[in-house]
Amino acid sequence: MATAGVADAKGTGGTDKMAALKEIYNKLKAEVLEDHAVEITNESAVQWIDRMVDYNVLGGKCNRVLFVIDSYNILKGADVLSQEEIFLACTLGWCIEWLHAYFIVLDDIMDNSQTRRGRPCWFTVPQVGLIAINDAIILRNHVPRILRHHFKGKPYYIDIIDLFNEAEFKVVSGELLDLIITHEGRKDLTRYNETIYRHIAEYKCAYHSFYIPVACALLLAGENLGKFGDVKNILIEIGIYFQIQDDYLDCFGDPEFTGKIGTDIEESKCSWLVVQALEHSDENQKSILFENYGKSDPACVAKVKDLYKELNLELVYREYEREIYIKLIADIEAQPNKAVQAILKSFLHKIYKRQK
């Protein structure tokens, strides 16, 4: 993944860049562990939190941290960022990763998922179980403490707090919609449609993973978010595209490569693929879908996947990907701010035709 943040600012390669990100992460984690040590005064509990934070916040590709840094670097138009600028941008990025960790710990429990990022989900780790619910709440509570420690007194502090609060509200709203619609879909697949799907994708993925990093960078750069409504809409559309990729890879991706075993069919999820299948199938094909979707029996899952292939949904996906890319490029190039154009194109090209 090409980046313009810490690597460019420090004049180093990818390895040193990731080491710099990890160094800032370690500093932030040490601060919250110190907070816990004061409140809990129990060494075993603090050690548990130490391990839990590493397990859930780390392990990904640090995309959200990189998105904040890259965006800020482009907005500043500087060859070299100061150490303070790097630290503040990284800290906001890590706070987004912390928030995301909170979401995925709970999401994995609710979906009864087994793997995440190529290893067991946290709640499936021996001796963790439903302690993971409290762990997720701990992760969520770290975010405002980190923000208060490093940003209180900054002119944009309240805007940052509002941004993170809005992100959480949207994600939990999207999670509820996902769960309720999935429950209804088990009884009646016709409840699934494109409108519902887009709402879930926007709230659960697009807003906090794509819009919030750029919004953080804009606030760091002294910009007024009210002037960037079109940019927000484009980032949401990129995020929905990202979620559609995830749904496609859940079925057609290689778990050895993606690091996750897909379970959307078994869990009767309102995925992009089932919405497309409902739209493209005839009555006989619909009956196969209704009979087999949402069942954990491998034979039923295989029948759904065979139907997807019969409907040529892989080609439908490729056509969607081609069309959305053309549309997004046109929308991006219509933006008057060249730096913002560069940010948006960077985001799009990072995920275009991804395989994992």
Side-chain angles (χ1 to χ4, degrees):
M1 178 180 291
T3 60
V6 175
D8 286 356
K10 294 173 72 67
T12 58
T15 301
D16 287 344
K17 172 187 62 184
M18 296 308 294
L21 296 184
K22 184 69 180 298
E23 182 180 347
I24 292 172
Y25 163 82
N26 286 333
K27 174 178 172 56
L28 299 175
K29 187 184 71 168
E31 290 172 356
V32 296
L33 289 177
E34 185 176 343
D35 284 350
H36 283 295
V38 170
E39 296 292 336
I40 300 174
T41 65
N42 180 289
E43 185 176 348
S44 296
V46 175
Q47 288 174 351
W48 175 284
I49 295 168
D50 188 356
R51 176 192 176 212
M52 180 273 293
V53 173
D54 280 348
Y55 196 96
N56 293 293
V57 178
L58 298 179
K61 296 183 287 292
C62 299
N63 281 342
R64 296 162 192 84
V65 186
L66 296 170
F67 285 171
V68 177
I69 297 171
D70 289 356
S71 301
Y72 184 54
N73 199 55
I74 292 170
L75 287 168
K76 291 285 289 185
D79 294 331
V80 178
L81 295 176
S82 71
Q83 290 301 310
E84 181 183 8
E85 289 174 322
I86 293 170
F87 179 81
L88 292 177
C90 281
T91 297
L92 287 176
W94 279 120
C95 282
I96 303 171
E97 294 286 356
W98 239 280
L99 192 68
H100 184 67
Y102 153 60
F103 296 144
I104 63 176
V105 170
L106 293 180
D107 187 67
D108 287 342
I109 295 171
M110 289 182 282
D111 289 347
N112 196 31
S113 299
Q114 297 302 303
T115 59
R116 170 78 67 171
R117 294 168 172 170
R119 59 183 179 177
C121 294
W122 176 242
F123 81 98
T124 70
V125 172
Q127 299 172 344
V128 176
L130 294 184
I131 296 174
I133 296 173
N134 192 65
D135 289 338
I137 297 169
I138 288 172
L139 290 168
R140 171 62 184 93
N141 277 270
H142 286 167
V143 175
R145 300 184 80 87
I146 294 170
L147 292 175
R148 182 178 63 192
H149 187 72
H150 294 287
F151 294 92
K152 190 171 184 180
K154 303 286 186 187
Y156 49 80
Y157 175 61
I158 297 301
D159 293 322
I160 290 288
I161 296 296
D162 285 346
L163 203 58
F164 276 83
N165 286 340
E166 185 67 14
E168 182 178 15
F169 180 76
K170 286 188 180 297
V171 172
V172 297
S173 298
E175 185 66 57
L176 177 62
L177 182 60
D178 184 19
L179 294 169
I180 294 296
I181 292 298
T182 297
H183 177 71
E184 294 177 349
R186 290 184 187 278
K187 301 174 183 177
D188 180 11
L189 270 184
T190 61
R191 296 299 300 271
Y192 295 166
N193 58 60
E194 187 77 23
T195 300
I196 289 292
Y197 177 80
R198 286 181 61 86
H199 280 315
I200 295 172
E202 175 180 344
Y203 295 156
K204 284 190 65 176
C205 171
Y207 192 86
H208 83 279
S209 288
F210 288 85
Y211 172 62
I212 296 297
V214 175
C216 284
L218 287 166
L219 289 172
L220 277 175
E223 295 286 358
N224 180 347
L225 295 183
K227 300 190 303 182
F228 294 92
D230 289 344
V231 173
K232 177 180 178 180
N233 292 336
I234 291 170
L235 287 163
I236 294 298
E237 198 63 47
I238 292 174
I240 292 172
Y241 166 40
F242 182 88
Q243 184 59 56
I244 290 172
Q245 289 176 318
D246 254 14
D247 290 356
Y248 174 81
L249 293 172
D250 183 272
C251 178
F252 294 107
D254 180 357
E256 292 290 330
F257 189 64
T258 64
K260 185 177 181 181
I261 299 171
T263 57
D264 283 355
I265 294 172
E266 294 94 322
E267 293 166 10
S268 197
K269 286 295 184 181
C270 180
S271 80
W272 184 82
L273 288 171
V274 76
V275 169
Q276 297 304 311
L278 288 165
E279 183 178 330
H280 289 84
S281 58
D282 59 29
E283 291 306 312
N284 288 333
Q285 291 167 326
K286 279 188 174 68
S287 67
I288 294 173
L289 197 60
F290 294 164
E291 183 179 343
N292 294 282
Y293 198 76
K295 296 181 180 177
S296 57
D297 183 346
C300 294
V301 175
K303 287 179 182 178
V304 173
K305 290 186 176 182
D306 287 343
L307 178 60
Y308 285 173
K309 291 176 182 177
E310 182 182 328
L311 293 170
N312 211 358
L313 292 191
E314 291 182 82
L315 181 61
V316 174
Y317 170 75
R318 296 300 174 199
E319 182 62 18
Y320 159 78
E321 188 169 51
R322 184 187 70 81
E323 290 177 357
I324 195 62
Y325 179 80
I326 292 171
K327 179 183 184 302
L328 285 169
I329 286 295
D331 290 345
I332 290 168
E333 291 182 345
Q335 297 304 305
N337 188 311
K338 295 298 183 183
V340 168
Q341 280 192 30
I343 291 169
L344 296 173
K345 285 184 177 180
S346 173
F347 269 45
L348 179 57
H349 291 145
K350 279 178 171 64
I351 69 167
Y352 182 52
K353 291 191 174 182
R354 71 184 177 98
Q355 299 298 314
K356 63 183 293 185

